[in-house]
């Protein structure tokens, strides 16, 4: 199944694709990936522009632990780079002992970052031609970049990510 075929699946008025239908079409795909990527973004123009020809039924998703250094050079769709930069700048407003609200997320998310120094939900990456590409989690990625650059999170701390490789 190609990503563009998600456009043919049932969706609600907000454009979110029916999770039960996704589960039937892509039974080996983890539910978190179905929700974050296909359900939430499968009908969005920017994602269709990027991934329309991607064979999503041929992806093997694995939840792995990586360091910032391992994902720091991931490619980002140019249309989303400004948002990653905005989140980076916001999180650079946090300093040791300061209020973490500068990262600009919900209170539970801020509390999680402050307590665990990582994201609450693993972002999604594709392994393409021996490079990583950020698929979903642009806010999280920008936030991590800023917090690492400020020295609040060590570069060698591990973080969970979903990584997809072609089967």
């Amino acid at each position: 199944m190609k990503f563009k075929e998600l456009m043919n699946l049932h969706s609600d008025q907000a454009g979110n694709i029916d999770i039960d239908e996704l589960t039937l079409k892509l039974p080996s795909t983890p539910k978190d990936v179905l929700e974050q990527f296909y359900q939430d973004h499968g009908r969005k123009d920017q994602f269709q522009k990027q991934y329309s020809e991607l064979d999503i039924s041929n992806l093997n998703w694995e939840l792995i632990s990586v360091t910032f250094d391992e994902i720091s050079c991931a490619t980002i769709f140019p249309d989303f780079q400004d948002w990653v930069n905005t989140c980076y700048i916001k999180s650079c407003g946090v300093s040791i002992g300061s209020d973490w609200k500068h990262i600009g997320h919900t209170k539970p998310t801020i509390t999680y970052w402050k307590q665990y120094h990582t994201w609450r939900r693993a972002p999604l990456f594709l392994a393409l031609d021996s490079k990583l590409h950020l698929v979903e989690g642009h806010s999280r990625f920008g936030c991590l970049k800023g917090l690492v650059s400020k020295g609040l999170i060590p570069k060698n701390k591990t973080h969970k990510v979903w990584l997809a490789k072609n089967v």
Side-chain angles (χ1 to χ4, degrees):
M1 173 179 202
K2 295 215 176 188
F3 190 83
K4 66 183 174 186
E5 294 173 57
L6 294 174
M7 298 294 286
N8 301 326
L9 303 182
H10 294 100
S11 63
D12 62 21
Q13 289 187 4
N16 296 314
I17 298 172
D18 183 78
I19 193 70
D20 294 329
E21 193 168 0
L22 284 169
T23 302
L24 286 173
K25 297 281 186 186
L26 300 161
S28 62
T29 303
K31 186 173 182 183
D32 195 27
V33 173
L34 292 174
E35 291 173 351
Q36 287 192 68
F37 189 17
Y38 308 138
Q39 181 183 34
D40 290 350
H41 301 300
R43 298 182 59 82
K44 292 184 178 168
D45 291 341
Q46 292 169 315
F47 282 81
Q48 284 294 329
K49 183 177 173 183
Q50 292 178 81
Y51 305 114
S52 64
E53 294 302 319
L54 180 66
D55 184 355
I56 59 177
S57 59
N58 198 30
L59 293 176
N60 181 36
W61 291 94
E62 184 179 3
L63 187 63
I64 62 169
S65 294
V66 295
T67 65
F68 176 74
D69 281 341
E70 292 173 301
I71 58 173
S72 64
C73 294
T75 60
I76 298 169
F77 184 59
D79 290 2
F80 296 149
Q81 186 63 58
D82 285 346
W83 182 245
V84 171
N85 293 343
T86 296
C87 295
Y88 165 81
I89 291 166
K90 284 181 182 180
S91 64
C92 282
V94 178
S95 59
I96 295 174
S98 82
D99 192 347
W100 285 58
K101 70 179 179 185
H102 294 288
I103 64 174
H105 294 279
T106 65
K107 191 170 185 165
T109 299
I110 293 167
T111 301
Y112 199 90
W113 273 108
K114 187 175 180 179
Q115 184 174 359
Y116 298 105
H117 293 172
T118 193
W119 36 61
R120 292 173 64 193
R121 194 172 197 188
L124 285 60
F125 289 83
L126 288 174
L128 301 171
D129 303 322
S130 72
K131 286 184 134 184
L132 294 181
H133 175 75
L134 178 62
V135 173
E136 169 53 13
H138 299 85
S139 299
R140 289 166 270 177
F141 187 69
C143 186
L144 180 63
K145 283 179 70 170
L147 295 171
V148 167
S149 76
K150 294 295 284 187
L152 296 170
I153 297 177
K155 287 183 176 187
N156 63 351
K157 179 180 178 6
T158 59
H159 309 274
K160 295 285 188 186
V161 301
W162 285 106
L163 180 63
K165 296 178 181 175
N166 282 318
V167 179

